[in-house]
Amino acid sequence: MNRPRVVIAGMGFGGLFAFHRLAKKPVDLVLVDRHNYHAFVPLFYQVAAAELEPVEIAYPIRTFLRRRPQAAFFMAEVRGVDLQGKKLLTSEGDVPYDVLILGLGSETSFFGLPGVKEHAFTVKSLAQALTLRNHILTLFERAAWGKGPHEEGLLTFVIAGGGPTGVELAATLAEWIREVLVKDYPPSVMERARIILVEAADRILPGLPEGQAAYAQRVLTRLGVDVRTQTPIAGADKGRVLLKEGPPIPTQTLIWTAGVKGSPVGETLGLSLARGGRIPVNEYLQLPGHPEVYVVGDLAYLEDGHGRALPQVAPVAIQEGRHAAGNVLRSLEGKPPLPFRYKDPGVLLSIGRGRGVARIGKIHLQGFPAWLAWAFVHIAQLVGFRNRVYVLSGWFWNFLFTDRIRLILPGGREPAS
Amino acid sequence: MNRPRVVIAGMGFGGLFAFHRLAKKPVDLVLVDRHNYHAFVPLFYQVAAAELEPVEIAYPIRTFLRRRPQAAFFMAEVRGVDLQGKKLLTSEGDVPYDVLILGLGSETSFFGLPGVKEHAFTVKSLAQALTLRNHILTLFERAAWGKGPHEEGLLTFVIAGGGPTGVELAATLAEWIREVLVKDYPPSVMERARIILVEAADRILPGLPEGQAAYAQRVLTRLGVDVRTQTPIAGADKGRVLLKEGPPIPTQTLIWTAGVKGSPVGETLGLSLARGGRIPVNEYLQLPGHPEVYVVGDLAYLEDGHGRALPQVAPVAIQEGRHAAGNVLRSLEGKPPLPFRYKDPGVLLSIGRGRGVARIGKIHLQGFPAWLAWAFVHIAQLVGFRNRVYVLSGWFWNFLFTDRIRLILPGGREPAS
């Protein structure tokens, strides 16, 4: 019997855990990703706020493949899927498959608000996080020139979205500015710095109990973050964020964390997509009519028993990736697939250093115990011993010396000089 | 008496050591640099070869300024000097000075060879080093697609220049490929990889005794580097390096380490420059006719007692920076300046892991003792405890596990997604 060729497109959490389950099984594995690393998305915001370096939360995909001659990796941008011809279409060429596991994730959704896509910063990739960090530091350097009041809002940082990413980013950004950058810049610069967290709904953290959200808001306020709920954004243009009501906010920095949508590859399949550009799958995580194609993670749309969409978070992707791989193995053994049931492990959130909110099963925590749980789980889920050591020692150093990396270090092509 | 305003333009080795000497003296200090960090240039090639991360060899300039209210930093590109008006001209505005210390360093010189500037990679900045690293890894990923022989020279890496940078880079690049990347890519990819070191003169390392250069060449050859002396380059175009004699070399990667010239700011001064675009200074390191302007480091041109130009290396810059600052202090005390005398501390070179050549005073070393001296001096000269720990532990990790960072991690602006 021929070994089936299983292609995993996207090495986020879904793809990674599917790979782990299949790595030692009698299948030919082909991994495809636009990057040559698996990155730990839940800590991207800490890269933006100079708490961590990209290298500390990325892991080379090829390291997984060592001593696995039956597995290969191809770096390419996925462009679409030829469902009839059973080929993954990529920027570098076609990749034929017998079984396909699609875990291409999500990208930022700007909801078509005018000017937002053009002017907003995002934290959905390591490059974007670095770009935002460099932008913030460059603004502080510009402010140090003291060019005065005509650059209104130069150090006003507007974070759109009161979900987990917006809250975590606002807190660590506030600590970075108030505790570290304050040692570097004169008071005339520091007094211009402000952080505004803007949320359209009437409260932040809608996924958490109200008491925990209120605690988070108190912490943010104590850190000097101006939390504005019921404040929908209408758009953006150069130097301003426009609100549905009230005067615009002068700013050079709109950070958009307010929404995601499924990878645009979903639109190329010729299917009718669910809300947010997600691909509806059956309870086995298969594409209807194509049992050889599984979709996992942010890109997949599946409802729980109560008609609610599963959230676009790491635990869903991890469990779906594992489950899809399990169903692939069952089908090889001639067994019917098993339906997917999501086991909600809870929610963990850090709100600056040493504070957090957590729900673990039925237990609710806040403050330091929640932060400890958060730190433990995040370190445990990082891939690679070296990365764990670096992240832990980086956090410890920053804590001990109230320090952060403050280098403006763009990569990418720069003209030879 | 008014405190004089001393402006230090460029925070390389020259500017840094001038700053250290002046930091606690009764002067108002203004530092100007295009980056917000001091970077350790002698290890840039290790960033290119994924041995080190940029963050490990860069140090925030503002950290030097903490608890020094009489010192300020402005991030800007220096465009020129108004010698009459005593103003430094920058991309962000003018900076008036009473005393100016110019340490703007050098940039790559392509000697006007056609196509080289357009097609060559360089390692004169951290961004350039990262760009080169990402390019090399991307080529390996492209080769893994196995697109075959029409991409001739896809994994041929041509290093132009048999000086210290070329030799050190060739060795560590060879080890990276032969010892680390070999674990990641199949033999069909690895057998296409080759490194060619091209030097116009009849030997490599002209600054070293012939025996040491011969040793270095033996080590390179053992590492699989194809060392070609007496091979002047005529130019480059897309996919090829053109030689003065013989057939062109098909390659996607020409790394140019063959020459430097003084910062282009020199040309704006309206003076006649010395060879290599360097600014001639008097024995006090002052601009002739402008005793309030000092030039130090790669940009300065000064001869030793035997009519030879001082080399463009870190020890010269360090000693000149210190000396210029010393003369500034003497003039404040009404004393005449002292002439500069270079004390040559020797040469240290690593040729891959655990091998090197060294001249320390009159002692010549090669092999492991030379490497040890090299490592010790480089760690000692790094700025910052954290950087020293990171570089040392990075080297140790890489040695222990025959590992390197292998992530393609561009920074810079990426479209929001």
Side-chain angles (χ1 to χ4, degrees):
Chain A
M1 179 189 143
N2 274 339
R3 293 157 66 100
R5 183 176 165 103
V6 180
V7 174
I8 301 178
M11 282 297 280
F13 284 113
L16 179 65
F17 280 83
F19 165 76
H20 282 326
R21 183 112 188 220
L22 294 170
K24 292 177 183 167
K25 304 296 179 180
V27 296
D28 283 332
L29 269 176
V30 178
L31 314 181
V32 179
D33 198 287
R34 74 177 109 173
H35 298 299
N36 75 338
Y37 52 81
H38 163 76
F40 195 70
V41 182
L43 290 176
F44 280 4
Y45 75 92
Q46 294 209 353
V47 172
E51 182 89 65
L52 294 174
E53 281 300 292
V55 67
E56 296 168 349
I57 59 171
Y59 193 84
I61 291 170
R62 289 192 178 275
T63 307
F64 298 126
L65 303 188
R66 290 180 177 175
R67 293 179 294 274
R68 300 208 193 293
Q70 84 286 15
F73 168 65
F74 293 115
M75 191 171 85
E77 187 91 33
V78 175
R79 297 268 165 84
V81 184
D82 176 354
L83 292 170
Q84 265 55 53
K86 293 192 180 177
K87 283 185 296 200
L88 187 71
L89 313 176
T90 84
S91 56
E92 307 293 315
D94 298 350
V95 183
Y97 64 81
D98 297 314
V99 176
L100 175 65
I101 300 178
L102 264 189
L104 295 170
S106 57
E107 57 176 44
T108 301
S109 169
F110 301 100
F111 306 119
L113 291 172
V116 173
K117 186 175 179 177
E118 291 74 18
H119 293 99
F121 291 83
T122 49
V123 284
K124 286 284 284 176
S125 78
L126 287 170
Q128 289 167 14
L130 260 191
T131 299
L132 172 57
R133 182 209 290 186
N134 287 338
H135 170 77
I136 293 171
L137 284 166
T138 304
L139 290 183
F140 273 90
E141 288 303 332
R142 212 201 290 168
W145 276 91
K147 293 203 183 155
H150 66 278
E151 292 202 295
E152 212 192 333
L154 188 66
L155 296 185
T156 298
F157 305 102
V158 179
I159 298 172
T165 305
V167 168
E168 290 189 305
L169 178 61
T172 190
L173 187 57
E175 287 181 340
W176 187 27
I177 292 172
R178 289 161 59 105
E179 297 172 9
V180 182
L181 294 184
V182 72
K183 296 192 262 183
D184 281 344
Y185 297 92
S188 62
V189 168
M190 295 314 298
E191 70 196 12
R192 299 178 68 181
R194 50 204 293 241
I195 301 170
I196 307 174
L197 180 68
V198 173
E199 165 61 48
D202 61 356
R203 52 169 284 205
I204 61 170
L205 298 175
L208 287 175
E210 246 175 85
Q212 292 200 317
Y215 168 79
Q217 185 158 345
R218 279 200 306 280
V219 174
L220 286 177
T221 306
R222 230 178 300 146
L223 287 170
V225 177
D226 178 0
V227 181
R228 300 190 192 172
T229 50
Q230 293 184 289
T231 308
I233 286 176
D237 54 26
K238 199 168 153 41
R240 299 191 308 172
V241 172
L242 310 171
L243 304 177
K244 281 254 167 64
E245 286 172 45
I249 306 174
T251 179
Q252 306 286 330
T253 316
L254 168 61
I255 307 166
W256 192 260
T257 72
V260 297
K261 61 182 179 192
S263 154
V265 171
E267 293 162 18
T268 68
L269 300 183
L271 309 168
S272 79
L273 298 178
R275 201 152 33 89
R278 296 162 78 178
I279 301 173
V281 291
N282 64 24
E283 60 182 338
Y284 312 115
L285 303 175
Q286 297 159 334
L287 207 61
H290 289 279
E292 76 282 9
V293 178
Y294 295 83
V295 189
V296 299
D298 283 9
L299 183 53
Y301 183 87
L302 188 66
E303 293 176 354
D304 65 11
H306 308 87
R308 288 179 305 226
L310 291 178
Q312 285 160 302
V313 294
V316 172
I318 290 170
Q319 293 178 32
E320 288 182 345
R322 271 201 206 111
H323 190 86
N327 276 348
V328 171
L329 294 174
R330 288 181 65 87
S331 76
L332 294 183
E333 296 162 359
K335 295 180 190 162
L338 293 176
F340 176 71
R341 298 274 175 270
Y342 178 53
K343 287 171 206 70
D344 182 3
V347 178
L348 291 165
L349 230 70
S350 83
I351 313 170
R353 194 175 31 245
R355 283 177 296 258
V357 291
R359 175 174 59 74
I360 306 163
K362 291 205 152 74
I363 305 168
H364 288 81
L365 299 172
Q366 64 192 39
F368 186 71
W371 181 85
L372 214 59
W374 170 88
F376 180 81
V377 167
H378 281 71
I379 290 290
Q381 288 189 334
L382 264 178
V383 179
F385 174 73
R386 186 178 190 168
N387 285 1
R388 285 178 193 154
V389 170
Y390 270 65
V391 169
L392 259 183
S393 60
W395 284 347
F396 191 64
W397 174 282
N398 290 347
F399 169 74
L400 217 58
F401 300 102
T402 324
D403 194 13
R404 302 252 180 128
I405 297 147
R406 287 156 291 125
L407 308 165
I408 303 173
L409 272 179
R413 182 98 208 195
E414 188 182 71
S417 73
Chain B
M1 179 189 141
N2 274 338
R3 292 157 65 98
R5 183 175 164 104
V6 180
V7 174
I8 301 178
M11 282 297 279
F13 285 112
L16 179 65
F17 280 83
F19 165 76
H20 282 326
R21 183 112 186 220
L22 295 169
K24 292 178 182 165
K25 304 296 178 180
V27 296
D28 283 333
L29 269 177
V30 177
L31 314 181
V32 179
D33 198 286
R34 74 177 109 173
H35 299 299
N36 75 339
Y37 51 81
H38 163 75
F40 195 69
V41 182
L43 290 175
F44 281 4
Y45 76 91
Q46 294 208 353
V47 172
E51 181 90 63
L52 295 174
E53 281 300 292
V55 68
E56 296 168 348
I57 59 170
Y59 193 83
I61 290 170
R62 288 192 178 276
T63 307
F64 299 126
L65 304 187
R66 290 181 177 173
R67 292 178 296 276
R68 300 208 194 292
Q70 83 287 12
F73 168 65
F74 293 116
M75 190 172 84
E77 187 91 33
V78 175
R79 297 268 166 83
V81 184
D82 176 353
L83 292 171
Q84 264 55 53
K86 293 191 180 178
K87 284 185 296 202
L88 187 72
L89 312 175
T90 84
S91 56
E92 307 292 314
D94 297 350
V95 183
Y97 63 81
D98 297 314
V99 175
L100 176 63
I101 300 178
L102 265 189
L104 296 170
S106 57
E107 57 178 43
T108 301
S109 169
F110 302 99
F111 305 120
L113 291 173
V116 173
K117 188 177 178 176
E118 292 72 20
H119 292 99
F121 291 82
T122 49
V123 284
K124 286 284 285 176
S125 78
L126 288 170
Q128 289 168 13
L130 261 190
T131 299
L132 173 56
R133 181 209 293 185
N134 287 337
H135 169 76
I136 293 170
L137 284 165
T138 303
L139 290 184
F140 272 91
E141 288 303 332
R142 211 201 290 166
W145 276 92
K147 291 199 186 159
H150 66 279
E151 292 203 296
E152 212 193 332
L154 187 66
L155 296 185
T156 299
F157 304 103
V158 178
I159 299 172
T165 305
V167 168
E168 290 188 307
L169 178 60
T172 191
L173 186 57
E175 287 181 341
W176 187 27
I177 293 173
R178 289 160 60 104
E179 297 171 9
V180 183
L181 295 185
V182 72
K183 296 192 261 184
D184 282 345
Y185 298 91
S188 61
V189 168
M190 295 314 297
E191 69 197 13
R192 299 177 67 181
R194 50 204 291 243
I195 301 170
I196 306 174
L197 181 68
V198 173
E199 165 60 48
D202 61 356
R203 51 169 284 205
I204 61 170
L205 299 174
L208 287 175
E210 246 176 84
Q212 292 200 319
Y215 168 78
Q217 184 158 346
R218 281 199 306 278
V219 173
L220 287 177
T221 306
R222 229 179 300 145
L223 287 169
V225 177
D226 177 0
V227 181
R228 300 190 192 172
T229 50
Q230 292 184 288
T231 309
I233 286 177
D237 54 25
K238 198 168 155 42
R240 298 191 309 172
V241 171
L242 310 172
L243 305 178
K244 280 254 167 65
E245 287 171 46
I249 306 173
T251 180
Q252 308 285 331
T253 316
L254 168 61
I255 307 167
W256 192 260
T257 73
V260 298
K261 60 182 180 194
S263 155
V265 170
E267 292 162 18
T268 69
L269 300 184
L271 308 168
S272 81
L273 298 179
R275 202 153 30 93
R278 295 162 79 178
I279 300 173
V281 291
N282 65 24
E283 59 181 337
Y284 312 116
L285 303 175
Q286 297 160 335
L287 207 60
H290 289 279
E292 76 281 8
V293 178
Y294 295 82
V295 189
V296 300
D298 282 10
L299 183 53
Y301 182 87
L302 189 66
E303 293 176 355
D304 64 11
H306 307 88
R308 289 178 304 225
L310 292 177
Q312 286 161 302
V313 295
V316 172
I318 290 170
Q319 294 178 32
E320 287 182 346
R322 271 203 205 112
H323 190 85
N327 277 348
V328 170
L329 295 174
R330 289 180 65 87
S331 77
L332 294 182
E333 295 162 1
K335 295 180 190 161
L338 293 177
F340 175 72
R341 297 274 175 270
Y342 178 53
K343 286 170 206 71
D344 181 4
V347 178
L348 292 164
L349 231 71
S350 83
I351 312 169
R353 195 174 31 245
R355 282 177 296 257
V357 290
R359 175 175 58 76
I360 305 163
K362 290 205 155 66
I363 304 166
H364 289 81
L365 299 172
Q366 63 191 40
F368 187 70
W371 181 85
L372 213 59
W374 171 88
F376 180 81
V377 167
H378 281 71
I379 290 290
Q381 288 190 335
L382 264 177
V383 179
F385 175 72
R386 186 178 189 169
N387 286 2
R388 286 179 191 153
V389 171
Y390 270 64
V391 168
L392 259 184
S393 60
W395 285 345
F396 192 63
W397 174 282
N398 291 347
F399 168 72
L400 218 57
F401 300 103
T402 324
D403 194 13
R404 302 254 179 127
I405 297 146
R406 285 156 293 128
L407 308 165
I408 302 173
L409 272 178
R413 182 99 208 193
E414 189 182 69
S417 72

